[in-house]
Amino acid sequence: MNPLRPNTEAAVHPALTHAQFVAAWRAGAIRVHVDSAAAAALLSARLLLPFVAIAVIGLGIALVLWGWLWLGLGTGAIGIVAPRLIKRGAGGFLLSQIAGDADLYAAGVRAGAIMIEGQESA
């Protein structure tokens, strides 16, 4: 079995509990790899990024129609660029937050965004 690919059992139920994971990670017994595409999808779903982006772009359009051209264009640009920047940094964010958030750890393992190498020895 490839330790970097999530197996179907880990996708349904994490092999390590969050407490075991944190202890093993801090001890250096395991290595954690983050799939950036899966992390971006997970973070997008948890933050409801498409809905937020649509709302911000709509606000930008409304500002343009009310005569606030530059403010509206800037708001619309933020609605387009911000979700892309959030998705780009999703892997690092997920890696920095999983030690403190058990729910995020479990969701990341289920989604296949977090891959643990060396969990058999932990």
Side-chain angles (χ1 to χ4, degrees):
M1 180 176 115
N2 186 353
L4 297 180
R5 294 178 65 54
N7 58 16
T8 56
E9 296 166 9
V12 175
H13 179 64
L16 295 173
T17 66
H18 184 255
Q20 292 171 336
F21 165 75
V22 171
W25 192 20
R26 290 188 177 150
I30 59 173
R31 291 182 48 169
V32 179
H33 299 279
V34 177
D35 180 13
S36 52
L42 174 67
L43 198 59
S44 177
R46 286 179 69 96
L47 295 177
L48 302 173
L49 281 180
F51 298 113
V52 173
I54 288 171
V56 172
I57 292 169
L59 178 63
I61 292 170
L63 288 170
V64 167
L65 292 176
W66 283 332
W68 296 78
L69 179 66
W70 294 110
L71 184 62
L73 290 176
T75 303
I78 289 171
I80 293 170
V81 173
R84 293 178 185 188
L85 292 176
I86 290 170
K87 287 179 183 180
R88 180 180 289 177
F93 175 79
L94 188 63
L95 190 60
S96 69
Q97 297 296 313
I98 56 175
D101 189 355
D103 292 335
L104 186 61
Y105 165 72
V109 170
R110 277 193 306 270
I114 300 170
M115 293 162 277
I116 302 170
E117 180 180 348
Q119 66 185 12
E120 289 82 13
S121 62

